[in-house]
Amino acid sequence: MDIADIKRPENLVYRKPALITDNVMHYCPGCSHGTVHKLIAEVIEEMGIQDSTIGISPVGCSVFAYNYIDIDWEEAAHGRAPALATATKRLCPDKHVFTYQGDGDLASIGTAEIIHACSRGENIVVIFINNGIYGMTGGQMAPTTLIGMKTSTTPYGRDPKLNGFPMVIADMIAHLDGTAYITRQSVHTAAAVRKAKSAIRKAFEYSEKNIGLSFVEIVATCNSGWKMSPVDANAWMVEHMFRKYPIGDIKDVLK
Amino acid sequence: MAFKGAIEIDTAHCKGCGVCVTNCPTGSIRLSGMVNSKGYNYAEMTGDACIGCSACALVCPDSVITVYRVKI
Ligand SMILES: Cc1ncc(C[n+]2csc(CCOP(=O)(O)OP(=O)(O)O)c2C)c(N)n1
Ligand code: SF4
Ligand code: SF4
Ligand code: SF4
Ligand SMILES: [Mg+2]
């Protein structure tokens, strides 16, 4: 069969999600942020909740997330997305409210906001992009940076004596009674992408049940900050990041 | 059941990251020797072994791959 005969509308099996805008993403080639945006867009489209979803974008490389997914957005000060989401959800309980945050944003400057939003059991979704580094500002160490990992502020590798230990946020918040669903996923293979999408869908569905906060961590790459090619960064993530941040569900109050 | 597939790539917006290439089970996508206006070696379909599995498109951060599939 000719390629031209295959490329017919009736044979279409995958296309760019309808809610991903035509704006060219400013992300570096191969950056995980774009892949995760796509999954959020697909879930919102499939659930038919485009008009009832409000996203809160962070400070970090994904600050412009509002340019890429065609829904309503707010833009929070650094780390404060869970506070804005709290107010938004309480004022508009019928809306689906989610934050999208990097590890510098969520696990460093915004630690208080995320911990207390979890503890209060806010009925929001948190998408946490853990690439182990401050991508946007030039690759400085984050609380999530692995021991021995080289960053621009730990040029000889993270030394726990000097820089402390990596913070495993998802496991920490699992101890808080206000969290309903906590999972850790990745987007480096097609199978991983499918699982991550199901997890994001479940998180949005749980937020409708008013049973507490749902948290989807995506173990991600920052190939620019890590100073690797996108393909090498994915392999490095599997070998090193997954050891400290293993993939899988951590908590599900409905199971 | 066997499938035959084909992909279409928005080469102008491809960033040449290569994650699609490593995810293709049939070696049907590669980076071109040519570059687009941004200077990226864009991805292109190669050969006729594509099975339309969508793996390349699922991992593409910039959503530039469209996939078609037919049963044969
Ligand atoms: C109040 C404040 N402090 C510091 C900064 C500088 N700053 C911008 S982004 C960022 C860290 C971003 O890292 P992360 O959240 O991990 O996002 P990534 O870029 O890695 O996706 C910092 C420290 C800021 N913009 N505002
Ligand atoms: S600096 Fe890192 S996190 Fe930011 S766009 Fe580039 S690869 Fe992605
Ligand atoms: S994954 Fe997408 S952006 Fe990257 S090389 Fe393939 S088609 Fe281009
Ligand atoms: S659809 Fe599947 S077989 Fe075809 S190019 Fe993409 S990954 Fe390869
Ligand atoms: Mg980061």
Side-chain angles (χ1 to χ4, degrees):
Chain A
M1 188 180 279
D2 215 43
I3 299 262
D5 291 325
I6 304 173
K7 287 187 188 175
R8 290 177 193 275
E10 63 269 28
N11 300 330
L12 180 74
V13 287
Y14 190 95
R15 49 137 178 84
K16 183 172 102 168
L19 295 188
I20 291 287
T21 65
D22 287 335
N23 296 326
V24 177
M25 290 187 183
H26 69 286
Y27 301 119
C28 305
C31 175
S32 313
H33 278 304
T35 319
V36 181
H37 286 11
K38 191 165 74 166
L39 300 185
I40 296 170
E42 284 177 358
V43 165
I44 293 172
E45 183 186 351
E46 286 165 20
M47 287 177 72
I49 55 172
Q50 178 184 10
D51 295 332
S52 66
T53 302
I54 301 174
I56 322 280
S57 71
V59 170
C61 279
S62 51
V63 62
F64 296 134
Y66 52 76
N67 283 333
Y68 306 133
I69 307 178
D70 189 13
I71 52 167
D72 288 330
W73 286 91
E74 296 166 13
E75 160 55 36
H78 205 8
R80 273 53 173 179
L84 259 189
T86 298
T88 305
K89 182 70 182 181
R90 289 184 178 209
L91 290 167
C92 312
D94 297 336
K95 301 282 187 192
H96 296 80
V97 178
F98 76 94
T99 73
Y100 185 102
Q101 302 179 257
D103 49 327
D105 189 83
L106 183 145
S108 186
I109 195 168
T111 323
E113 278 72 17
I114 188 61
I115 298 278
H116 286 280
C118 288
S119 187
R120 291 191 306 268
E122 302 297 341
N123 291 300
I124 60 172
V125 174
V126 173
I127 309 287
F128 171 44
I129 310 297
N130 179 9
N131 56 17
I133 206 162
Y134 290 4
M136 184 194 213
T137 43
Q140 293 85 359
M141 188 193 92
T144 46
T145 298
L146 300 178
I147 297 298
M149 193 170 163
K150 286 186 179 146
T151 69
S152 59
T153 45
T154 57
Y156 305 107
R158 182 176 189 168
D159 172 4
K161 284 203 187 82
L162 189 62
N163 314 115
F165 295 91
M167 221 185 250
V168 188
I169 293 279
D171 295 68
M172 286 165 55
I173 59 167
H175 295 292
L176 299 173
D177 294 335
T179 51
Y181 174 52
I182 302 174
T183 187
R184 197 182 281 121
Q185 303 290 333
S186 69
V187 292
H188 62 302
T189 64
V193 166
R194 288 195 175 93
K195 285 190 197 141
K197 182 177 165 183
S198 308
I200 292 169
R201 168 120 195 186
K202 188 169 179 175
F204 274 86
E205 287 170 352
Y206 273 34
S207 78
E208 292 176 343
K209 299 180 197 287
N210 294 329
I211 51 173
L213 188 142
S214 291
F215 187 95
V216 181
E217 172 173 348
I218 308 284
V219 184
T221 64
C222 169
N223 59 77
S224 289
W226 295 3
K227 306 202 186 311
M228 293 174 199
S229 73
V231 169
D232 289 350
N234 276 341
W236 195 89
M237 173 183 75
V238 171
E239 196 182 333
H240 300 277
M241 293 283 280
F242 284 7
R243 254 187 241 160
K244 188 70 194 168
Y245 305 111
I247 302 303
D249 284 354
I250 295 164
K251 179 176 180 180
D252 185 343
V253 291
L254 296 187
K255 260 198 183 154
Chain B
M1 198 186 299
F3 292 100
K4 201 160 165 49
I7 55 169
E8 203 154 77
I9 298 159
D10 175 3
T11 53
H13 296 115
C14 167
K15 293 179 183 162
C17 70
V19 301
C20 53
V21 177
T22 48
N23 268 284
C24 175
T26 63
S28 301
I29 186 167
R30 66 176 178 201
L31 295 185
S32 170
M34 308 288 281
V35 295
N36 60 19
S37 64
K38 292 274 168 68
Y40 295 126
N41 293 95
Y42 53 81
E44 61 185 13
M45 190 178 165
T46 173
D48 57 3
C50 174
I51 49 171
C53 67
S54 301
C56 55
L58 284 166
V59 298
C60 174
D62 291 274
S63 305
V64 301
I65 306 177
T66 308
V67 186
Y68 300 87
R69 181 161 84 156
V70 288
K71 281 184 202 143
I72 47 167

